[in-house]
Amino acid sequence: MFIESPRYTERFGSVRMSHAQRVISLDSGAKRRPHSHGAIGVKRIDEETIRHFEDRMAIVIPIKDEKLRLLEGVVSGVPHDCLVIVVSNSQRERVDRFRMEGDVLDQLCRFTLRQALIIHQKDPAIARAATEANYVDLLDEDGLVRDGKGEAMIIGLIAAKVAGKEYVGFIDADNYFPGSVLEYVRNYAAGFSLAQSPYSMVRILWRYKPKISAGLYFKKWGRISEITNRYLNSLISTKTGFETEVVTTGNAGEHAMSMQLAEILPFASAYAVESQELISLFENFGGILPTKESKVIEQGIDILQIETRNPHLHEERGNQHLNEILLSSMSTIYHSPLCDKEVRQAILAELINQGILKDGELPAPVHINSPLSKVKVDKFVNVIRKHSDKYHVLH
Ligand code: GDD
């Protein structure tokens, strides 16, 4: 693949965040030719390098009651050497959708002779593992794992750890284009190959997110992402004293990280997860608040943002759902100790203006699950390993 070289990298303490890099061409040929590294300002990432990272990567697909055809399409787009881990919170009663998801996965894996795992978020064995690991944050009042996409990501991460994977990528199950999924994973691999630190993250910026309104319109920004990015950038600008537009992936559902970074990162509940990841990195390693992780500070953290070639098309769930995502994302910024009075006032005004909060109301803080490094993750890993036959698609 050919990708723009990181043009400009901004630094906040130990965090290095690159401005979005465009994918220029999806393929760069198999043969090494003279000068095949690409023109000035362009990087060629060869297939061997992409394969190297794919082989070490698990792709976690969180799913809750999606169309089976979409799940099948998403899995079919994941490169063969990645381990697929589906974490489901779909209904089991009346119609057992979880079972149907397992059947779809099983069929695809049989046809293509690949392995995959599928785990239900509400499996009591997972809750028992969380209890043994003293990971009570993850549990709800019924003693089962809480609802939410963020929580599904944590279970996926632990399963990836059990499988010995070094990188984990997340891809929503409601993507319409398998070809986009293939590109996301290749972009993850390309990003990791460019990172300098073992603590690295790759976030996908969609080239277009088409809307259907009197024809197909290739819209660049979603309503939510535009607003979240603006306030994440404001938060950084007020701390550095220099206005920035570096953050363009505040809500990137499609993103990936090295296991080393994943283990030290707190994960917010549900849809707050992606923006909280950035906030936590700025809080813990941005050089403003104190931190104890000297090893991480030494190596730094690389955040790469990669703009795709493919457009992104996913299920549209209406305004109330979008408001829920926006409110939780803004809450992560609002409640950060890095957020000053001016940005807080602006966030409140924005949420009131959007009709999400009423005058005088404040965004409720989001639930944040501790990083894996703060719980007895080995105990969690052991319990999952014990049950691993149950989670493997091809026994
Ligand atoms: N396991 C599990 N558990 N999966 C869930 C849950 C849950 O409680 N809730 C949602 N999911 C799955 C959905 O089935 C889908 O595959 C994925 O998580 C994303 O959820 P959506 O409800 O489809 O979110 P969205 O498409 O509106 O928003 C996505 O994009 C936003 C950026 O535009 C999400 O990735 C957001 O987190 C992101 O901010």
Side-chain angles (χ1 to χ4, degrees):
M1 131 186 348
F2 288 106
I3 184 169
E4 277 178 351
S5 305
R7 268 170 308 152
Y8 197 73
T9 302
E10 299 208 17
R11 284 154 210 272
F12 319 104
S14 313
V15 181
R16 296 182 289 264
M17 187 165 198
S18 301
H19 283 250
Q21 295 164 248
R22 284 183 186 202
V23 172
I24 293 175
S25 177
L26 292 170
D27 181 57
S28 55
K31 285 192 208 118
R32 281 177 186 277
R33 297 187 190 93
H35 310 297
S36 66
H37 47 272
I40 293 171
V42 175
K43 289 242 175 224
R44 174 179 187 262
I45 318 282
D46 60 37
E47 284 304 303
E48 210 179 298
T49 305
I50 290 176
R51 299 274 177 219
H52 169 90
F53 287 96
E54 285 175 353
D55 194 38
R56 288 161 178 74
M57 201 185 309
I59 295 297
V60 174
I61 304 173
I63 182 164
K64 188 172 182 196
D65 300 322
E66 301 293 352
K67 294 175 184 128
L68 295 174
R69 288 283 165 129
L70 293 186
L71 173 66
E72 188 185 353
V74 168
V75 177
S76 73
V78 177
H80 191 81
D81 291 337
C82 297
L83 175 68
V84 168
I85 303 174
V86 176
V87 184
S88 172
N89 195 10
S90 300
Q91 77 173 60
R92 304 217 59 183
E93 271 139 33
R94 286 185 302 123
V95 183
D96 189 347
R97 293 199 62 86
F98 175 62
R99 197 199 169 105
M100 291 155 91
E101 290 159 5
D103 290 345
V104 164
L105 199 59
D106 182 273
Q107 190 175 59
L108 210 63
C109 287
R110 272 177 208 286
F111 284 158
T112 55
L113 299 175
R114 78 185 294 175
Q115 255 307 345
L117 304 174
I118 179 162
I119 303 172
H120 199 279
Q121 196 161 336
K122 299 289 179 183
D123 181 345
I126 300 285
R128 273 198 301 277
T131 310
E132 279 196 32
N134 204 14
Y135 205 167
V136 279
D137 292 359
L138 208 53
L139 304 176
D140 63 13
E141 52 287 353
D142 299 328
L144 295 175
V145 170
R146 300 162 64 95
D147 289 321
K149 181 190 158 184
E151 284 71 6
M153 286 166 54
I154 295 173
I155 297 169
L157 271 173
I158 296 171
K161 206 173 151 53
V162 174
K165 294 293 170 182
E166 293 166 42
Y167 299 92
V168 187
F170 303 98
I171 298 204
D172 290 347
D174 61 339
N175 270 299
Y176 271 88
F177 299 143
S180 302
V181 172
L182 179 72
E183 188 193 354
Y184 299 151
V185 181
R186 290 172 64 82
N187 294 354
Y188 295 160
F192 289 129
S193 78
L194 297 174
Q196 299 160 29
S197 167
Y199 302 95
S200 53
M201 177 181 278
V202 184
R203 300 172 74 96
I204 297 293
L205 169 63
W206 302 322
R207 177 78 175 242
Y208 299 110
K209 200 173 165 190
K211 299 273 169 221
I212 298 164
S213 54
L216 196 57
Y217 179 66
F218 285 83
K219 204 168 176 307
K220 170 99 186 107
W221 297 103
R223 196 190 99 199
I224 307 296
S225 46
E226 203 173 356
I227 300 172
T228 309
N229 292 338
R230 193 185 323 141
Y231 289 95
L232 280 167
N233 282 318
S234 299
L235 177 129
I236 297 171
S237 306
T238 53
K239 289 293 153 205
T240 60
F242 290 89
E243 225 168 73
T244 180
E245 293 184 333
V246 63
V247 181
T248 42
T249 56
N251 289 105
E254 271 71 28
H255 66 295
M257 57 191 88
S258 62
M259 187 57 88
Q260 275 177 272
L261 178 58
E263 285 180 332
I264 57 166
L265 204 55
F267 288 95
S269 192
Y271 300 110
V273 61
E274 290 94 5
S275 38
Q276 181 64 46
E277 286 166 4
L278 292 182
I279 291 286
S280 293
L281 290 175
F282 298 147
E283 285 175 4
N284 296 338
F285 305 104
I288 292 165
L289 302 173
T291 180
K292 291 191 193 106
E293 309 260 7
S294 55
K295 201 170 143 214
V296 185
I297 291 174
E298 217 174 273
Q299 309 254 25
I301 290 166
D302 289 317
I303 307 175
L304 292 105
Q305 306 180 97
I306 299 188
E307 187 185 278
T308 59
R309 269 279 137 190
N310 280 284
H312 181 85
L313 194 69
H314 69 161
E315 286 287 69
E316 291 296 342
R317 292 181 217 282
N319 261 338
Q320 204 185 332
H321 175 75
L322 291 181
N323 287 348
E324 195 191 319
I325 298 184
L326 182 57
L327 179 59
S328 60
S329 306
M330 298 295 262
S331 172
T332 64
I333 309 171
Y334 183 90
H335 289 287
S336 169
L338 293 178
C339 189
D340 67 13
K341 203 168 148 211
E342 207 179 296
V343 180
R344 283 206 176 121
Q345 289 304 335
I347 289 176
L348 289 182
E350 180 76 58
L351 291 171
I352 291 167
N353 190 28
Q354 295 280 339
I356 297 173
L357 287 185
K358 295 198 189 78
D359 243 339
E361 282 182 337
L362 300 179
V366 296
H367 174 83
I368 299 181
N369 298 291
S370 311
L372 298 185
S373 59
K374 294 276 182 312
V375 302
K376 296 177 187 148
V377 71
D378 289 347
K379 294 214 168 175
F380 210 133
V381 163
N382 286 341
V383 180
I384 296 204
R385 192 169 280 139
K386 222 163 56 198
H387 290 270
S388 93
D389 263 3
K390 179 167 107 184
Y391 303 129
H392 273 98
V393 172
L394 303 179
H395 296 286

